Every structure is written in C-alpha cells, then in structure tokens.
Amino acid sequence: VNMAVALSCLRVLFIILSICYVLVGLAGAICTGVFIWIFRSTTEVKDLFTLADQPSVFNKVTIALIVICVAFVVMMIAGFIGCCAMGRRHDNQCCQDLLAVFALIITLMFTAAVILLAVYRGQLESSVKKSFEINMQAYDNVAGAVIGDVAESAVSGYVDGVQQSQRCCGSYGYQSWKSLNTPWAQQNPSQLAPTSCCIDPDSLTCNYQP
C-alpha cells in the first residue's frame, strides 16, 4: 500500500513538472521569438553590425537565439508527452521513452546555444564597441556629413539616445571621447563629453573640465 501511495505521489509530481514544462516552454518560445523578431527587424541593431563590418556576428547570434527558441518549443512538446505518459492509469512506455529522448535533445540544444553565445560574446561586444566608436567619429561633425546612408544629425541623435537611455558615456567611459580624438573633442576642448552623458542633460557644467 505504501509503495502504491508513493508511486501515486510520484505520478502527480511528474504531471505537475510536465505542466511546468509546457508553460515554461510556451512562455520561453514566445519571448525568445519576439526578441528574435525585434533583434532582426530593428534598423539600429543592424546598423551596429553593418558599421562594424561584422554582419556574420549578427547572423551567428541570431542562430543561437533560434536554437534557444526551438529548444523551448521542444520543451513544450516534452511537457505534453509527459502529461500523456503519466496522465493515464497505466504508464505508457512509448511516451516515457519519447520523453527521455526529448529531454536529451533539450539538454543538448540549450548546451549548444549557451556555448555559441559564450563563444561569440566577445565578438558581439567588440562589434558593438567598434560600431559605436564609428558613430562617435561622426557625432556633431561637419554639417551635412554622411556616415553610410545616415545623415550626421541622425547619427548624433542616435548616440545621444543611446547614452541617455543606457546611462553610459562613450564606448568605454567619458574618457573615450578624448582618447579617441573625436571631431567633437577637437571642437569642444573645454568639455569632457557631450551633455547626453550627464545624468541631468540640462546641466550647464557637468561635462566641463574642472
């Protein structure tokens, strides 16, 4: 009797875990899918890699994200199989074997995606940094200048927007505006960085050298 109760409890626990698999897989697939769509369709993101002349990194990151999305879909399917396998009065051996195979596939896919992201993380950071530095060189430069197909005024607005929204300054700190010898730094020798680096952009003194 005790063994029957234990098996019954394990069955209920397994069903609960399977339902969690379904919910997590569904939520993960939707979130990852939306992120991939935003990542692929946002012009600013594409421009970052295009300006850095590293479109291959953009594609590799996309592949890793797709692998993660597919893994979530497989997880959801595995959850359904788990419910079918343990939701009946008598165990379905075929479903249990299939569930084990799916669990192995999920593990391998998540492992592969993590490895891909880890391998290309450095390249991704390098691409973003290089692209931002290219934008910094066009920031507040000669009126009417064009970088790629983007007017200088749009580049300046983009850089200001990134620095304000992400609360960052330059490619590795406010010092980068001077150390990279940007045209902006040459035109504004008394200032440390553009006002968009300031916590309070309306401040008249935060970006001036003491």
Side-chain angles (χ1 to χ4, degrees):
V1 177
N2 292 334
M3 180 62 70
V5 173
L7 290 175
S8 179
C9 291
L10 285 175
R11 184 189 299 274
V12 172
L13 179 62
F14 197 88
I15 292 174
I16 293 174
L17 290 175
S18 296
I19 293 173
C20 290
Y21 254 56
V22 173
L23 296 177
V24 172
L26 179 60
I30 292 174
C31 292
T32 310
V34 170
F35 184 81
I36 292 173
W37 177 74
I38 294 174
F39 184 75
R40 295 287 301 183
S41 62
T42 303
T43 304
E44 288 80 0
V45 175
K46 290 183 179 180
D47 288 344
L48 280 174
F49 294 93
T50 301
L51 287 173
D53 196 26
Q54 292 186 339
S56 62
V57 177
F58 179 76
N59 294 327
K60 291 172 183 176
V61 172
T62 301
I63 291 173
L65 292 173
I66 291 175
V67 171
I68 293 176
C69 184
V70 173
F72 276 121
V73 172
V74 174
M75 177 184 290
M76 182 175 62
I77 296 173
F80 279 118
I81 293 174
C83 290
C84 293
M86 304 301 290
R88 301 183 179 185
R89 186 176 182 83
H90 299 288
D91 294 346
N92 188 321
Q93 188 61 43
C94 179
C95 285
Q96 292 182 22
D97 294 340
L98 193 58
L99 181 62
V101 172
F102 271 107
L104 178 61
I105 293 174
I106 292 170
T107 302
L108 292 176
M109 292 184 73
F110 274 120
T111 301
V114 170
I115 291 175
L116 282 173
L117 290 175
V119 169
Y120 296 121
R121 177 183 175 183
Q123 295 183 32
L124 177 62
E125 292 177 349
S126 176
S127 297
V128 173
K129 180 180 177 181
K130 181 179 178 181
S131 176
F132 198 76
E133 288 178 351
I134 292 174
N135 281 300
M136 287 170 65
Q137 292 296 336
Y139 182 90
D140 203 22
N141 201 349
V142 181
V146 174
I147 177 171
D149 295 325
V150 185
E152 176 273 327
S153 58
V155 172
S156 298
Y158 168 74
V159 172
D160 286 336
V162 170
Q163 293 190 145
Q164 289 174 355
S165 63
Q166 301 302 316
R167 296 194 175 187
C168 61
C169 188
S171 58
Y172 57 84
Y174 73 89
Q175 302 93 333
S176 59
W177 283 97
K178 294 290 186 181
S179 62
L180 293 173
N181 195 29
T182 61
W184 176 90
Q186 297 173 19
Q187 296 168 11
N188 302 275
S190 62
Q191 298 182 44
L192 296 171
T195 54
S196 57
C197 286
C198 300
I199 296 177
D200 179 9
D202 295 327
S203 173
L204 299 177
T205 58
C206 84
N207 61 331
Y208 279 83
Q209 300 185 52

